[in-house]
């Protein structure tokens, strides 16, 4: 059973461009969580999704950030008009329904130049 | 409020025990976790404990919970070079809930 997959692993964007980060949950997992890790910091929750539904987006910045988890395909975290402060590692985690155990992907390291 | 605090660095000699400490502020936490992050990698769930437990042991790992003081610790027996990593203490309140992380303790192993 493959683990949580994230791609790309590294992404470089210039200021003002768009960044798209993808996450494929583990097989059988219907819940996806996105977290952001700034340098020398812990992970901060961004958003929690189930298929076609955003359940909790209390950690998402109000502007430029959006997330989706369509019926088919991976979950996407989209950052429009990136700024230097968006440079971070973005981690996706997945879990089956009704558990507290989240399994993390390897992360996407976004660098904004 | 939600806050998880832990010291940033710990150095331990190979073969000794490592004890990583953590405090949390919200007494309604239900699950308390320890995650391990190796350089350039994602987070690996090491273990977690329910808030109604005092202790949990799993091979070289022992988790102790003092709910009165809101203090959680992770003891790694016979520390090996492969244990060198950042260890995150974390909490959540119910199933299918977001996890709140501390800033991590960087464990350095001395030869």
């Amino acid at each position: 059973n493959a683990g949580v997959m994230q791609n790309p692993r590294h992404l470089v964007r210039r200021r003002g461009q768009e960044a798209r980060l993808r996450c494929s949950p583990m097989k059988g997992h219907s819940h996806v969580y996105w977290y952001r890790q700034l340098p020398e910091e812990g992970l901060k929750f961004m958003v929690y999704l189930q298929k076609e539904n955003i359940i909790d987006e209390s950690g998402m910045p109000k502007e430029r950030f959006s997330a989706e988890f369509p019926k088919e395909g991976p979950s996407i975290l989209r950052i429009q008009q990136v700024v230097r402060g968006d440079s971070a590692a973005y981690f996706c985690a997945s879990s089956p329904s009704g558990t507290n155990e989240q399994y993390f992907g390897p992360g996407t390291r976004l660098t904004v130049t | 409020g939600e806050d998880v605090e832990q010291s940033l660095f710990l150095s331990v000699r190979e073969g000794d025990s490592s004890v990583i400490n953590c405090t949390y502020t919200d007494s309604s936490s239900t699950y308390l976790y320890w995650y391990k992050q190796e350089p350039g990698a994602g987070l690996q769930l090491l273990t977690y404990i329910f808030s109604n437990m005092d202790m949990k042991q799993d091979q070289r790992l022992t988790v102790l919970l003092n709910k009165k003081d809101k203090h959680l610790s992770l003891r790694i027996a016979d520390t090996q070079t492969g244990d060198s990593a950042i260890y995150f203490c974390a909490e959540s309140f119910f199933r299918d809930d977001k996890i709140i992380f501390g800033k991590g303790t960087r464990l350095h192993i001395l030869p």
Side-chain angles (χ1 to χ4, degrees), chain A residues 19-110:
Chain A
R20 278 183 176 245
L21 288 62
R22 293 175 193 77
C23 169
S24 296
M26 286 177 71
K27 189 175 180 182
H29 288 192
S30 56
H31 298 199
V32 166
Y33 304 79
W34 286 94
Y35 294 83
R36 175 163 67 174
Q37 184 179 31
L38 294 170
E40 306 302 321
E41 294 281 323
L43 277 73
K44 299 287 188 193
F45 168 77
M46 299 180 76
V47 62
Y48 160 36
L49 310 104
Q50 296 176 19
K51 286 282 187 182
E52 300 185 283
N53 283 305
I54 297 174
I55 308 301
D56 180 358
E57 56 182 346
S58 58
M60 285 280 267
K62 296 274 187 282
E63 296 175 351
R64 302 187 297 107
F65 284 72
S66 61
E68 62 176 5
F69 189 16
K71 190 176 177 183
E72 302 290 337
S75 175
I76 307 282
L77 179 68
R78 183 179 175 215
I79 312 171
Q80 294 178 289
Q81 298 172 349
V82 296
V83 301
R84 287 226 172 99
D86 297 332
S87 294
Y90 291 82
F91 290 95
C92 165
S94 74
S95 71
S97 175
T99 78
N100 67 298
E101 295 183 27
Q102 295 180 21
Y103 296 87
F104 282 77
T108 294
R109 279 151 183 85
L110 172 66

Side-chain angles (χ1 to χ4, degrees), chain A residues 35 48 98-102, chain B residues 33 35 48 95-97 99:
Chain A
Y35 294 83
Y48 160 36
T99 78
N100 67 298
E101 295 183 27
Q102 295 180 21
Chain B
Y33 307 83
Y35 278 86
Y48 67 90
R95 293 176 185 174
D96 301 332
D97 186 25
I99 295 178

